[in-house]
Amino acid sequence: MTIDDYVRENQQQFINLLANFVSQKSLSQTGEGIQTTVKFLKELLEQFIHAKVEIIETAGNPIIIATLSPEKDNEYLFYGHYDVQLPGKLAEWKVKPFKLTQRDGRLYGRGTGDNKGQLVAQICGFYVYQQLYGELPFTARILIEGEEEIGSPHLLQTVRALKDPYLNNLSAVFVMDGSMSQSGDHVLRLGNRGVLSFRLGVRTNESALHSGNFGNVSKNAAVELMRVLNKLINPLTGQCRIKEFYKEVVEPSSQEREWLSSLPSPYNIPAPIYKDKFDYYYRLMFQPSMTINGLSSGYEGDGVKTIIPGKATAIIDCRLVANQTCDEVIKLINNTLKAELNEEQIQIKYLVKLDPVKIAASNPLIPRLVSTITEATGKALIEPVMPGSVPNYIWKDIIGIPPFTIPLANYDQHNHAPNENITIDAFLDGIKIITYLCRNLNSK
């Protein structure tokens, strides 16, 4: 029996596994359902694919390490996460977020796209290989964390502690997260942008002031915040005003430009500011950004309240590209706002730090991975950089292995939003990709 036939014949069994997983809430922001989810996964990994499972306690949520086919010559790491985002407003969901619902060729529920559907596809892919071919031709380490949705605050220190017992003989890591191309084609991503998030606060008074009594004579926190933001971001172009911010940016190579030219043209992009297809991908993959995520100050209710705000806050993120580091950008920001910080006019709290990663275009595994995805699904695109941010720097900088991202969810999965979903075709394709990958990773 072929891989494709076996996956199709057993698809309901695989969907049922996902349904059971989705019913586990696993909310890292609140802690709800974390322990029951860990128990569920441990039993699934042990009973379904006969893995040896270790539960690693951290200062936050546990990390799961599962091993298949130990003591083979080659070892590869497969990364995923079991935690999910909060469901948000239930009224905006057309299904119950923690009950898998099949509708119009899609599987709906929180985590179906990010990352429970992709994680179950991995596990089912190992199962299919075992059923058709027996023991894996390499040792697989499956690392599943429970804090990805809150910035993986304990992953780095845990990986450092796990390096010697579990992670010191690895050849590469495969990250099944994110979305495939807008065209519906599967992609291989060779890197990702980093992210630095921070909260910028201005306080001019302990409370709001009457605008008639104090207008023109007292500082306005909202205006002061705008002045400070103007030192960081050009409001006309949206570009960062710190010149050194772009100093380390490296232009795409000829091979990377060729890969970009093969990507589909973007469409339905809200309020576009790019020039053409190349500029679209260039901005997303090879240019850093500084983005205001939110602003808060003063009265925001109905009607009128004539006040001068006493405090104002902005949340900002920087998406970083290869050769930039969060620590260096922090220095640039602090130096730009040195006067305000020294005079305690502003407060900055850095919230998330993930450095960028990019694999060399000459890496010898790339052709094999492209061939594997093509064999499983019919086509494979290469994206030199994932525009989003994942903690892949940990694998490259701490473990010393290249991370390859192979997203298994559809582009319109609505992750982090109401009505999150994964198409049945994407789910089954993901299982096939993992099965073919197991078959093709039989040598270095």
Side-chain angles (χ1 to χ4, degrees), residues 84-86 93 95 97 100-101 106-117 149 410 412-422:
V84 297
Q85 285 276 346
L86 295 169
W93 285 78
V95 300
L100 191 74
T101 302
R106 295 174 185 259
L107 302 170
Y108 287 88
R110 176 55 89 221
T112 48
D114 183 17
N115 187 246
K116 290 182 175 181
E149 298 294 3
N410 38 291
D412 56 348
Q413 61 172 292
H414 295 297
N415 50 328
H416 297 194
N419 304 310
E420 182 176 354
N421 69 88
I422 189 169

Side-chain angles (χ1 to χ4, degrees), residues 73-87:
D73 290 338
N74 300 328
E75 291 189 15
Y76 296 96
L77 179 66
F78 293 77
Y79 165 86
H81 64 92
Y82 62 81
D83 63 317
V84 297
Q85 285 276 346
L86 295 169

Side-chain angles (χ1 to χ4, degrees), residues 56-60 63 147 152-163 167 393-394 398-399:
I56 311 299
E57 297 297 334
T58 76
I63 285 177
E147 297 181 316
S152 304
H154 302 103
L155 182 61
L156 174 59
Q157 63 196 61
T158 306
V159 167
R160 281 179 170 150
L162 294 176
K163 183 175 180 180
L167 309 175
Y393 79 96
I394 292 176
I398 306 303
I399 305 299

Side-chain angles (χ1 to χ4, degrees), residues 4-273:
D4 294 37
D5 289 340
Y6 191 92
V7 170
R8 284 289 176 184
E9 286 191 12
N10 291 274
Q11 72 176 64
Q12 193 57 52
Q13 178 188 13
F14 302 147
I15 290 173
N16 291 342
L17 286 180
L18 179 56
N20 291 335
F21 194 12
V22 168
S23 70
Q24 310 290 326
K25 290 191 175 180
S26 60
L27 302 171
S28 51
Q29 289 164 296
T30 65
E32 184 178 1
I34 293 296
Q35 294 303 325
T36 57
T37 301
V38 170
K39 182 176 182 293
F40 167 83
L41 278 175
K42 183 176 187 295
E43 293 175 354
L44 176 64
L45 291 163
E46 289 176 338
Q47 296 172 14
F48 192 56
I49 58 174
H50 311 293
K52 180 181 178 182
V53 181
E54 298 284 341
I55 306 301
I56 311 299
E57 297 297 334
T58 76
N61 297 332
I63 285 177
I64 300 170
I65 290 278
T67 302
L68 291 173
S69 304
E71 299 181 0
K72 296 288 185 179
D73 290 338
N74 300 328
E75 291 189 15
Y76 296 96
L77 179 66
F78 293 77
Y79 165 86
H81 64 92
Y82 62 81
D83 63 317
V84 297
Q85 285 276 346
L86 295 169
K89 296 180 180 179
L90 297 181
E92 297 180 2
W93 285 78
K94 59 185 178 183
V95 300
K96 294 180 179 179
F98 296 105
K99 182 179 180 180
L100 191 74
T101 302
Q102 184 171 331
R103 183 182 295 179
D104 300 326
R106 295 174 185 259
L107 302 170
Y108 287 88
R110 176 55 89 221
T112 48
D114 183 17
N115 187 246
K116 290 182 175 181
Q118 302 196 52
L119 182 55
V120 169
Q122 289 184 61
I123 295 170
C124 291
F126 291 126
Y127 172 82
V128 172
Y129 184 90
Q130 290 173 336
Q131 297 305 304
L132 293 178
Y133 305 107
E135 190 175 57
L136 300 185
F138 57 88
T139 295
R141 305 282 190 185
I142 309 168
L143 187 149
I144 312 170
E145 70 155 316
E147 297 181 316
E148 195 273 346
E149 298 294 3
I150 55 173
S152 304
H154 302 103
L155 182 61
L156 174 59
Q157 63 196 61
T158 306
V159 167
R160 281 179 170 150
L162 294 176
K163 183 175 180 180
D164 285 338
Y166 295 106
L167 309 175
N168 58 356
N169 292 315
L170 298 168
S171 299
V173 57
F174 304 107
V175 178
M176 281 65 185
D177 202 351
S179 305
M180 63 182 73
S181 172
Q182 191 177 22
S183 66
D185 296 315
H186 283 269
V187 299
L188 172 65
R189 295 192 173 111
L190 307 179
N192 59 270
R193 290 200 292 184
V195 62
L196 173 68
S197 294
F198 60 98
R199 183 189 305 273
L200 177 61
V202 174
R203 183 184 291 272
T204 56
N205 196 58
E206 289 301 317
S207 64
L209 301 173
H210 190 282
S211 66
N213 294 338
F214 294 94
N216 281 345
V217 297
S218 293
K219 285 185 177 181
N220 184 314
V223 174
E224 289 300 301
L225 178 61
M226 288 191 290
R227 180 185 64 79
V228 173
L229 291 175
N230 195 51
K231 296 180 72 171
L232 297 178
I233 301 173
N234 186 326
L236 298 178
T237 65
Q239 298 292 299
C240 179
R241 274 205 155 120
I242 306 172
K243 291 183 179 180
E244 294 85 353
F245 186 70
Y246 300 97
K247 182 179 179 181
E248 300 298 330
V249 173
V250 177
E251 293 296 303
S253 67
S254 57
Q255 175 64 80
E256 289 166 339
R257 286 176 176 271
E258 182 179 332
W259 286 334
L260 292 183
S261 68
S262 298
L263 297 177
S265 297
Y267 62 93
N268 291 338
I269 305 301
I273 57 174

